[in-house]
Amino acid sequence: MNMVETSIIIRTFNEEKHLVKLLEAIQQQSYSNYEIILVDSGSTDNTLSIAGRYPVRIISIKPADFSFGYSLNTGCGQAHGEYLVFVSAHTCPLNSNWLSNFDQELAFKVAEIEEKSRVVDLALLEICCILDPEMPYILLPGDQADTPKNLPHL
């Protein structure tokens, strides 16, 4: 298996209305070193059949097991990427540079931290994307968060 740089984790439940637009927008990104992991919590609409038409790894969890943290952690556990990007199924990147902008912003933050020669223990590196405030979180591998309200800010 080739190592991907970024794992995009999408949690879904009955998202047939939005999923095509999101997956099409991800496929049109100028950055392509990613995998898509979809964590579904028991959709009863066409969400899974839509996802099956795309290069998406589908992971199903029981509806009773759903929580934001559990869903995201399940996706993290299946991810092969160096970086993790969480996307809500009802959002959509505004342009084809969304992922490359994340990559550039992350590189800038890492260089800034290294330049200051600090030992920083980051549980989460939050990068606010000015393109779409619905998709602001990037987690580094091995990190876990219960809910966005518990996420530290740089």
Side-chain angles (χ1 to χ4, degrees):
M1 172 183 283
N2 292 339
M3 181 65 167
V4 295
E5 186 174 43
T6 304
S7 296
I8 302 170
I9 301 169
I10 306 168
R11 63 175 192 279
T12 59
F13 177 74
N14 291 339
E15 295 287 351
E16 71 180 359
K17 181 178 175 183
H18 307 285
L19 193 57
V20 169
K21 185 176 180 182
L22 172 61
L23 294 175
E24 287 290 328
I26 291 172
Q27 284 193 319
Q28 294 172 7
Q29 293 298 298
S30 59
Y31 173 89
S32 61
N33 192 2
Y34 64 83
E35 66 177 343
I36 302 172
I37 300 169
L38 186 139
V39 181
D40 186 77
S41 57
S43 289
T44 57
D45 64 359
N46 290 316
T47 297
L48 295 177
S49 64
I50 290 168
R53 298 192 305 246
Y54 293 86
V56 172
R57 190 157 20 114
I58 300 170
I59 300 164
S60 297
I61 62 171
K62 297 176 189 173
D65 291 339
F66 173 80
S67 73
F68 292 113
Y70 181 78
S71 299
L72 296 177
N73 285 333
T74 299
C76 290
Q78 298 294 314
H80 296 115
E82 183 178 353
Y83 305 108
L84 306 176
V85 176
F86 297 136
V87 179
S88 296
H90 61 274
T91 61
C92 186
L94 295 179
N95 63 46
S96 63
N97 294 317
W98 171 70
L99 279 172
S100 62
N101 287 344
F102 268 144
D103 184 50
Q104 291 171 3
E105 183 67 18
L106 181 60
F108 173 76
K109 290 289 186 185
V110 169
E112 182 180 12
I113 289 168
E114 289 174 349
E115 181 180 310
K116 293 179 181 178
S117 299
R118 295 185 191 169
V119 176
V120 180
D121 182 18
L122 294 175
L124 176 73
L125 176 57
E126 178 184 354
I127 296 180
C128 295
C129 179
I130 60 172
L131 300 177
D132 188 342
E134 289 292 322
M135 296 189 260
Y137 299 106
I138 294 179
L139 288 183
L140 298 176
D143 296 335
Q144 298 179 355
D146 292 327
T147 63
K149 69 181 178 184
N150 295 329
L151 301 177
H153 297 273
L154 287 178

